[in-house]
């Protein structure tokens, strides 16, 4: 079966880029991205897209109106499509059973019920959202319980592995595409149909097909393993700070072992983003439900270590500033959870800002891509927050700078100029290990970073030079 008409429910960080790339690579397929939010769809149809992702603008502008459409007419999109991606949000439940841990599947269920209500022909329904193992079973039950005569459904699991900031490259050059489905002839035919879409640009050898449950679990497992590496290296960064070892040197030394590999060993202020914490909590909850408490505790440690790292870093900032930040101006450079995105979900910068505000500090914030309104919303519209449009004005008159996101532009700032405008002693806390610490110390800064002791006696610049 060759698919000619695809729709995607959910025009978010996954649905938008994924379907744009499908449209771009498959000019013969009509792709409609549909969302219940009229506002989000209007943004996708405007000059300024709702998300910032390098390379996305070009692809959307090339395909939009040709074979790529953004629509809030969800019913129409479902009616016309042969294959439907469900790419809706699956946040952590915030009420009831499993509160704070289990994935909330209300939007997935809502999408399934909508398909059941509207569909008038056979549909392949593809789980793109990250879901607990066995979620496809629930979707199938809803669809089949509401099945109209003569209509049949196949459910596939096709988790998405893109990372924000590199989404387009990840989609164009995926390490692998994973498709799980039923082991029946109909299930296999549906898998073949979805493979047919990806084969337009992904080599066959990189398209893995499995049973549905392996596919669902692999997504949670991949995120848990990636986050575990970050927590492991962050735990060692604390040992480095206490001993004089340097975490960058340690990461390089262990990463050279091809069995370990160099990626995802960047010690940091802690991982953020909408996925890692949510998906590990989900895995922990599943393990508890399966009566596997030891396995649940094992993965819970990855999150506990991340919380420890965020708290440890923020405490260091406060302690270094003579154990009080009350009334001090502190500049946070970078508010997104990583560079090259405007996304702030679970950003460690939120933790840093809130803790400093609790201690009475006045916060100056600059991020190249995060909207001012988003920062105020993330910090619950608290007092003493000032958002700037560039790093120089944000740091002016501040006692300290805290680097929370590894934006490239922070590496090439004129720190001599920044130093002149700051209160003395001037502190920099580099939570991303991106700056030239030796050069900053030469300028006169007091510098602290992750995973490396940089203790220097405080000597103001004028005392240290013989004039
Ligand atoms: N953000 C990522 O980098 C990433 C990567 C891989 C997987 N995922 C997973 O993909 C899923 C989506 O994540 P996201 O970041 O794109 O979420 P998002 O919040 O950006 O977007 C979800 C969209 O779904 C819409 N929606 C909800 N119910 C709907 C319905 N019934 N019909 C149509 N639209 C509906 C919402 O209005 C929202 O715009 C999640 O399960 C997430 O875990 C995310
Ligand atoms: O060595 C590293 C790598 C990452 N991070 C941090 O970890 C977080 C997550 O980064 P990253 O994984 O690059 O971005 P995400 O967009 O959250 O992508 C993750 O989550 C997605 C959603 O499930 C998956 O699809 C991706 O494969 C997975 O990498 C960010 O705060 C990074 O700064 C580190 O601290 N050190």
């Amino acid at each position: 079966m060759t698919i000619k008409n695809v729709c995607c429910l959910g025009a978010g960080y996954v649905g938008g880029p994924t379907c744009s790339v499908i449209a771009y690579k498959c000019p013969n397929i009509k792709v409609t991205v549909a969302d219940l939010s009229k506002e989000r769809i209007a943004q996708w149809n405007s000059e300024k897209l709702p998300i910032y992702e390098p390379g996305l603008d070009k692809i959307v502008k090339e395909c939009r109106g040709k074979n790529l459409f953004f629509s809030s007419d969800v019913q129409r999109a479902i009616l016309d499509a042969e294959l439907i991606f469900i790419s809706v949000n699956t946040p952590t439940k915030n009420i009831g059973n499993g509160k704070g841990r289990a994935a909330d599947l209300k939007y997935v269920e809502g999408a399934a019920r909508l398909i059941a209500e509207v569909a008038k022909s056979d549909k392949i329904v593809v789980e793109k959202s990250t879901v607990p193992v066995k979620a496809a079973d629930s979707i199938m039950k809803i669809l089949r319980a509401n099945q109209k005569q003569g209509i049949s459904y196949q459910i596939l699991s096709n988790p998405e592995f893109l990372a924000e900031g590199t989404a387009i490259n990840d989609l164009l050059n995926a390490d692998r595409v994973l498709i799980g489905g039923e082991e029946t002839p109909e299930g296999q035919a549906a898998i073949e149909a979805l493979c047919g879409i990806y084969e337009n640009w992904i080599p066959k050898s990189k398209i893995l097909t499995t049973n549905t449950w392996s596919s669902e679990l692999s997504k949670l497992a991949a995120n848990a393993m990636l986050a575990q590496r970050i927590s492991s290296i962050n735990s060692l960064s604390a040992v480095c700070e206490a001993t004089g070892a340097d975490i960058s040197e340690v990461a390089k030394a262990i990463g050279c072992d091809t069995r370990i590999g160099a990626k995802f060993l960047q010690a940091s202020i802690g991982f953020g983003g909408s996925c890692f914490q949510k998906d590990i909590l989900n895995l922990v909850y599943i393990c508890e439900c399966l009566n596997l408490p030891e396995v649940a505790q094992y993965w819970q440690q990855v999150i506990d270590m991340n919380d420890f790292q965020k708290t440890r870093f923020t405490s260091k900032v406060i302690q270094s500033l003579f154990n009080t930040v009350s009334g001090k101006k502190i500049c946070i450079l970078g508010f997104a959870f990583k560079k090259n995105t405007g996304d702030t979900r679970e950003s460690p910068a939120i933790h840093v800002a809130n803790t400093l505000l609790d201690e009475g500090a006045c916060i100056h914030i600059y991020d190249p891509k995060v909207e001012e309104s988003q920062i105020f919303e993330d910090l619950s519209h608290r007092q003493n927050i000032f958002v700037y449009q560039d790093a120089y004005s944000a740091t002016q008159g501040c006692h300290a700078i805290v680097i929370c996101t590894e934006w490239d532009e922070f590496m090439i700032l004129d720190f001599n100029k920044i130093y002149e405008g700051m209160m003395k002693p001037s502190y920099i806390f580099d939570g991303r290990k991106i700056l030239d610490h030796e050069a900053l110390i030469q300028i006169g800064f007091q510098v602290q970073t992750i995973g490396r002791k940089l203790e220097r006696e405080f000597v103001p610049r004028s005392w240290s030079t013989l004039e």
Side-chain angles (χ1 to χ4, degrees):
M1 176 189 186
T2 308
I3 304 289
K4 290 272 171 226
N5 201 322
V6 164
C7 97
C8 174
L9 302 181
Y13 284 89
V14 170
T18 307
C19 285
S20 299
V21 166
I22 293 178
Y24 180 64
K25 287 291 180 182
C26 312
N28 297 328
I29 299 180
K30 181 184 173 197
V31 181
T32 306
V33 188
D35 202 292
L36 297 176
S37 161
K38 288 197 167 65
E39 194 190 335
R40 210 158 206 193
I41 290 300
Q43 288 173 320
W44 279 108
N45 282 320
S46 75
E47 268 304 295
K48 188 167 183 279
L49 302 182
I51 63 176
Y52 171 70
E53 194 59 67
L56 177 66
D57 254 51
K58 182 180 160 280
I59 288 183
V60 169
K61 285 172 188 164
E62 203 169 313
C63 302
R64 201 169 53 187
K66 291 184 190 147
N67 66 331
L68 174 64
F69 302 90
F70 295 92
S71 168
S72 53
D73 190 347
V74 181
Q75 277 83 354
R76 183 79 252 163
I78 293 173
L79 265 176
D80 293 346
E82 301 150 273
L83 183 143
I84 304 168
F85 288 103
I86 298 183
S87 188
V88 301
N89 34 332
T90 48
T92 305
K93 270 186 90 171
N94 58 9
I95 48 166
N97 222 357
K99 176 183 169 183
R101 288 173 309 148
D104 192 339
L105 292 183
K106 71 178 170 196
Y107 301 106
V108 172
E109 183 173 339
R113 288 190 185 278
L114 203 60
I115 295 169
E117 190 187 310
V118 172
K120 290 194 176 142
S121 56
D122 296 353
K123 307 283 175 200
I124 298 174
V125 176
V126 184
E127 255 177 15
K128 186 56 103 178
S129 297
T130 304
V131 289
V133 202
K134 289 288 193 183
D137 218 16
S138 319
I139 298 178
M140 183 52 85
K141 278 184 185 137
I142 291 168
L143 290 176
R144 291 196 177 147
N146 294 285
Q147 205 160 2
K148 293 170 201 131
Q149 219 183 0
I151 301 185
S152 76
Y153 295 109
Q154 276 301 317
I155 316 292
L156 299 178
S157 159
N158 173 220
E160 184 48 61
F161 295 101
L162 69 80
E164 288 178 30
T166 53
I168 298 302
N169 188 46
D170 294 345
L171 288 162
L172 291 174
N173 305 297
D175 286 343
R176 76 329 207 160
V177 164
L178 179 58
I179 303 174
E182 284 183 13
E183 285 154 326
T184 56
E186 296 80 9
Q188 294 304 304
I191 290 177
E192 279 307 310
L194 183 54
C195 285
I197 296 178
Y198 284 112
E199 278 166 15
N200 281 291
W201 78 99
I202 303 284
K204 266 188 176 171
S205 59
K206 289 191 171 179
I207 303 178
L208 311 182
T209 58
T210 64
N211 77 34
T212 314
W213 322 128
S214 304
S215 172
E216 287 179 335
L217 181 59
S218 297
K219 174 63 197 176
L220 296 183
N223 273 357
M225 300 281 281
L226 288 169
Q228 184 217 46
R229 283 173 72 93
I230 304 171
S231 278
S232 297
I233 204 76
N234 282 343
S235 74
L236 294 170
S237 74
V239 180
C240 288
E241 287 162 40
T243 57
D246 180 337
I247 197 64
S248 300
E249 293 176 352
V250 174
K252 187 167 182 197
I254 59 179
C256 283
D257 187 327
T258 49
R259 293 170 302 174
I260 296 174
K263 291 182 182 164
F264 264 69
L265 286 182
Q266 183 71 24
S268 68
I269 178 176
F271 60 74
S274 64
C275 296
F276 281 171
Q277 174 161 311
K278 160 179 86 74
D279 294 346
I280 298 172
L281 286 169
N282 185 358
L283 181 62
V284 168
Y285 183 72
I286 291 169
C287 294
E288 282 173 3
C289 294
L290 295 171
N291 200 20
L292 296 167
E294 291 82 1
V295 185
Q297 277 161 22
Y298 176 78
W299 289 111
Q300 178 64 42
Q301 270 299 310
V302 174
I303 294 178
D304 294 348
M305 184 51 62
N306 198 48
D307 290 341
F308 173 67
Q309 186 75 348
K310 286 188 279 187
T311 310
R312 203 171 71 78
F313 178 74
T314 321
S315 303
K316 184 156 55 168
V317 173
I318 297 164
Q319 274 164 21
S320 305
L321 295 171
F322 314 109
N323 213 23
T324 177
V325 292
S326 179
K328 289 181 182 161
K329 290 180 186 159
I330 304 195
C331 174
I332 292 182
L333 288 185
F335 203 74
F337 80 96
K338 63 185 283 197
K339 74 172 179 181
N340 293 336
T341 178
D343 194 353
T344 59
R345 291 178 289 180
E346 302 296 338
S347 176
I350 299 174
H351 169 86
V352 173
N354 272 325
T355 311
L356 295 174
L357 287 167
D358 289 346
E359 294 271 341
C362 174
I363 303 292
H364 292 201
I365 299 174
Y366 166 65
D367 185 286
K369 287 291 171 201
V370 179
E371 303 283 343
E372 184 170 338
S373 56
Q374 185 64 50
I375 295 178
F376 284 116
E377 195 183 316
D378 287 335
L379 298 175
S380 313
H381 299 276
R382 297 177 70 171
Q383 300 290 303
N384 296 325
I385 300 163
F386 300 88
V387 177
Y388 292 83
Q389 297 312 311
D390 71 283
Y392 296 104
S393 37
T395 51
Q396 184 71 30
C398 285
H399 295 78
I401 297 171
V402 185
I403 308 277
C404 286
T405 314
E406 72 282 22
W407 284 103
D408 290 343
E409 67 172 66
F410 298 159
M411 292 192 246
I412 51 165
L413 288 170
D414 179 349
F415 280 100
N416 276 298
K417 181 173 156 189
I418 287 177
Y419 182 78
E420 294 307 327
M422 287 179 65
M423 303 292 285
K424 305 293 176 316
S426 312
Y427 286 82
I428 290 194
F429 301 92
D430 182 0
R432 293 295 189 162
K433 299 196 304 97
I434 53 168
L435 303 180
D436 181 343
H437 303 133
E438 265 47 58
L440 292 172
I441 290 167
Q442 281 303 313
I443 293 173
F445 280 105
Q446 298 292 303
V447 185
Q448 302 252 13
T449 188
I450 302 275
R452 188 180 172 205
K453 207 156 54 171
L454 279 166
E455 271 169 18
R456 295 281 195 288
E457 203 186 336
F458 167 56
V459 183
R461 199 158 38 163
S462 52
W463 302 356
S464 63
T465 49
L466 289 171
E467 287 164 25

